[in-house]
Amino acid sequence: MGIGRGKSDKIDIDGLIGSVNNENKATQEVSSLSEKVAELEQATKALNTAIDRADSIITGFNNSVKELQSKKIGAQVHPQTLQYNP
């Protein structure tokens, strides 16, 4: 004689299917969130790279401006150019 369910015990098939569907949805959501996290990590790396490049460009520009400000320009202005002639 085997051990089994009595004839009056019913298995809730709809409940089991719903449970499986919920697990599948949860797995899909986890997968979707993992993809979004990976995309955000890539975007963060790209943004940090852009910031580093911008910092480098700004530093180079500032150094060039300082260098130009320290150089003397050998220009001469004719005295007549400075006179006011209305």
Side-chain angles (χ1 to χ4, degrees):
M1 198 176 235
I3 300 174
R5 294 187 180 271
K7 290 185 180 182
S8 64
D9 291 342
K10 293 184 181 180
I11 299 174
D12 182 13
I13 298 295
D14 290 335
L16 290 174
I17 290 173
S19 175
V20 170
N21 285 339
N22 286 340
E23 288 179 27
N24 286 339
K25 287 179 185 177
T27 301
Q28 290 172 352
E29 286 296 322
V30 168
S31 177
S32 175
L33 289 174
S34 294
E35 290 174 10
K36 289 179 182 180
V37 167
E39 289 174 10
L40 287 172
E41 287 174 345
Q42 284 183 326
T44 301
K45 286 179 185 177
L47 182 59
N48 286 334
T49 299
I51 290 169
D52 290 343
R53 288 181 182 167
D55 285 343
S56 177
I57 291 169
I58 291 168
T59 299
F61 178 79
N62 287 337
N63 290 340
S64 296
V65 168
K66 286 178 185 177
E67 181 181 333
L68 288 173
Q69 287 175 338
S70 68
K71 289 185 178 180
K72 293 185 179 183
I73 299 173
Q76 295 180 352
V77 178
H78 194 275
Q80 288 180 340
T81 306
L82 298 175
Q83 292 178 355
Y84 177 72
N85 294 323

Short mmCIF file of all heavy atoms in Angstrom, two decimals, residues 76-84:
data_model
loop_
_atom_site.label_atom_id
_atom_site.label_comp_id
_atom_site.label_asym_id
_atom_site.label_seq_id
_atom_site.Cartn_x
_atom_site.Cartn_y
_atom_site.Cartn_z
N GLN A 76 56.76 98.03 -30.33
CA GLN A 76 57.04 99.45 -30.20
C GLN A 76 55.87 100.22 -30.79
O GLN A 76 55.31 99.84 -31.81
CB GLN A 76 58.32 99.83 -30.93
CG GLN A 76 59.55 99.19 -30.31
CD GLN A 76 60.82 99.58 -31.07
OE1 GLN A 76 60.77 100.19 -32.12
NE2 GLN A 76 61.96 99.23 -30.50
N VAL A 77 55.54 101.33 -30.12
CA VAL A 77 54.46 102.19 -30.60
C VAL A 77 55.07 103.54 -30.97
O VAL A 77 55.82 104.14 -30.19
CB VAL A 77 53.39 102.37 -29.50
CG1 VAL A 77 52.28 103.31 -29.98
CG2 VAL A 77 52.84 101.03 -29.08
N HIS A 78 54.75 104.00 -32.16
CA HIS A 78 55.27 105.28 -32.62
C HIS A 78 54.62 106.39 -31.80
O HIS A 78 53.41 106.34 -31.54
CB HIS A 78 54.96 105.47 -34.12
CG HIS A 78 55.72 106.58 -34.73
ND1 HIS A 78 55.29 107.89 -34.68
CD2 HIS A 78 56.92 106.60 -35.39
CE1 HIS A 78 56.15 108.64 -35.28
NE2 HIS A 78 57.17 107.89 -35.73
N PRO A 79 55.37 107.41 -31.38
CA PRO A 79 54.82 108.48 -30.54
C PRO A 79 53.61 109.19 -31.16
O PRO A 79 52.71 109.59 -30.45
CB PRO A 79 55.98 109.45 -30.35
CG PRO A 79 57.20 108.62 -30.58
CD PRO A 79 56.81 107.57 -31.56
N GLN A 80 53.56 109.30 -32.45
CA GLN A 80 52.42 109.96 -33.10
C GLN A 80 51.14 109.15 -32.94
O GLN A 80 50.05 109.69 -32.93
CB GLN A 80 52.70 110.20 -34.60
CG GLN A 80 53.71 111.29 -34.82
CD GLN A 80 53.96 111.51 -36.31
OE1 GLN A 80 53.68 110.65 -37.13
NE2 GLN A 80 54.53 112.67 -36.65
N THR A 81 51.28 107.88 -32.78
CA THR A 81 50.11 107.03 -32.63
C THR A 81 49.42 107.32 -31.30
O THR A 81 48.20 107.22 -31.18
CB THR A 81 50.53 105.53 -32.66
OG1 THR A 81 51.27 105.29 -33.83
CG2 THR A 81 49.35 104.61 -32.61
N LEU A 82 50.18 107.73 -30.34
CA LEU A 82 49.64 108.01 -29.01
C LEU A 82 49.02 109.42 -28.92
O LEU A 82 48.37 109.71 -27.93
CB LEU A 82 50.74 107.85 -27.95
CG LEU A 82 51.34 106.46 -27.83
CD1 LEU A 82 52.49 106.49 -26.83
CD2 LEU A 82 50.30 105.44 -27.44
N GLN A 83 49.23 110.27 -29.90
CA GLN A 83 48.68 111.62 -29.86
C GLN A 83 47.22 111.60 -30.26
O GLN A 83 46.80 110.84 -31.14
CB GLN A 83 49.45 112.56 -30.81
CG GLN A 83 50.87 112.80 -30.33
CD GLN A 83 51.64 113.68 -31.31
OE1 GLN A 83 51.15 114.02 -32.37
NE2 GLN A 83 52.85 114.05 -30.93
N TYR A 84 46.48 112.47 -29.60
CA TYR A 84 45.04 112.57 -29.86
C TYR A 84 44.82 113.62 -30.94
O TYR A 84 45.19 114.78 -30.80
CB TYR A 84 44.31 112.95 -28.56
CG TYR A 84 42.84 113.14 -28.75
CD1 TYR A 84 42.00 112.07 -28.98
CD2 TYR A 84 42.27 114.42 -28.68
CE1 TYR A 84 40.64 112.25 -29.15
CE2 TYR A 84 40.90 114.60 -28.84
CZ TYR A 84 40.10 113.51 -29.08
OH TYR A 84 38.75 113.67 -29.27
#
